[in-house]
Amino acid sequence: MSLTDAQRAEIAAHAQETSSTRRPTVPALEAMLYDPQEVLDHGFLRVIDYMGDDSAIVQAARVSYGRGTRKVSEDAGLIRYLMRHRHSSPFEMCEIKFHVKLPIFIARQWIRHRMASVNEYSARYSILDSEFYLPAPEHMAAQSEINRQGRGAVLEGADAAAVLDILRDDAMRTYRNYETMLDTDEGYGLARELARINLTLNTYTQWYWKIDLHNLMHFLALRLDPHAQYEIRAYAEVMLKILHAWVPQTAAAFEDYRRGAVTFSAGMMKVLRSMLAGEAVERADSGLSKREWDEMMASLKG
């Protein structure tokens, strides 16, 4: 992870600042505030601020005047009920703000989650650093033969080394050209908003990303899935640890009812009922497509 000494000093100074508050805080998350969690080769993710906790969800659901006196088990039971029945608005009462450093190609996937507030580092105003994402050898894979947007077998030996050389050389060459185009003395003095268009998608960018808890869990449900691209999944895995520190009761319900759960269609449920009744059901007679059938069988086999 590439942080300058000045940036580290700035983070350390910020972490030393304290202030009294009457609002609920979460000690486990307070301990993580501002600290960058390393992701990929040069990326990081850190919590900048948050609002609310598990009790805030319960308070909003009950529309109570305070944090309440009910047992923790009762609050957990209500949170699980809300999660199970997809009552999302109480979860929207909690928010969290992240500072993320990530490759541009992952940022373009990430931004598809529209229910968030984003402010990205401006390459029209500032000059991007010469930092690029290069996959580790175990993530250098060929195109999957069965999944148009997935990876297959890992490249070995000379092939993997050659691809890494191409990625590195292309990134460094385009960055040198970027510097030349920007240079007002020996280059062309090109506007920053134009010079940036030549950079590769593995160049790192940064942003502040603020989102409510409901939409954060939707992000995690999609990006923690094994079919999600590894690079964005790496960020999601760090965010999941933060979720458990921030709202442990909600995180546990999320693991049970969202991440660890599957959804069956009406047709799938009909097939399942027939199977439970002891009937032999073949795909050709099920009314399901091959893909639906395969997905259902994969879910039942775990």
Side-chain angles (χ1 to χ4, degrees), residues 181-212:
M181 288 187 285
L182 290 172
D183 193 334
T184 56
D185 295 325
E186 299 181 5
Y188 303 97
L190 190 67
R192 292 170 182 173
E193 65 179 22
L194 290 172
R196 62 180 175 170
I197 69 177
N198 196 45
L199 293 172
T200 52
L201 289 177
N202 62 342
T203 305
Y204 272 88
T205 185
Q206 298 185 41
W207 62 29
Y208 271 46
W209 192 68
K210 181 173 72 70
I211 192 166
D212 67 57

Side-chain angles (χ1 to χ4, degrees), residues 142-152 227 291:
Q143 175 64 43
S144 170
E145 295 181 358
I146 59 174
N147 182 350
R148 293 183 181 179
Q149 60 176 11
R151 302 179 191 183
H227 296 97
R291 176 172 289 185

Side-chain angles (χ1 to χ4, degrees), residues 206-222:
Q206 298 185 41
W207 62 29
Y208 271 46
W209 192 68
K210 181 173 72 70
I211 192 166
D212 67 57
L213 178 56
H214 165 62
N215 283 293
L216 174 62
M217 290 188 292
H218 180 67
F219 174 93
L220 292 176
L222 293 174

Side-chain angles (χ1 to χ4, degrees), residues 41-42 103 129-135 167-168 170-176 199-204:
D41 51 358
H42 299 294
D129 292 331
S130 57
E131 291 182 315
F132 320 100
Y133 170 67
L134 295 174
L167 291 173
R168 184 185 300 107
D170 283 352
M172 294 178 66
R173 183 178 67 255
T174 59
Y175 193 84
R176 287 194 298 269
L199 293 172
T200 52
L201 289 177
N202 62 342
T203 305
Y204 272 88

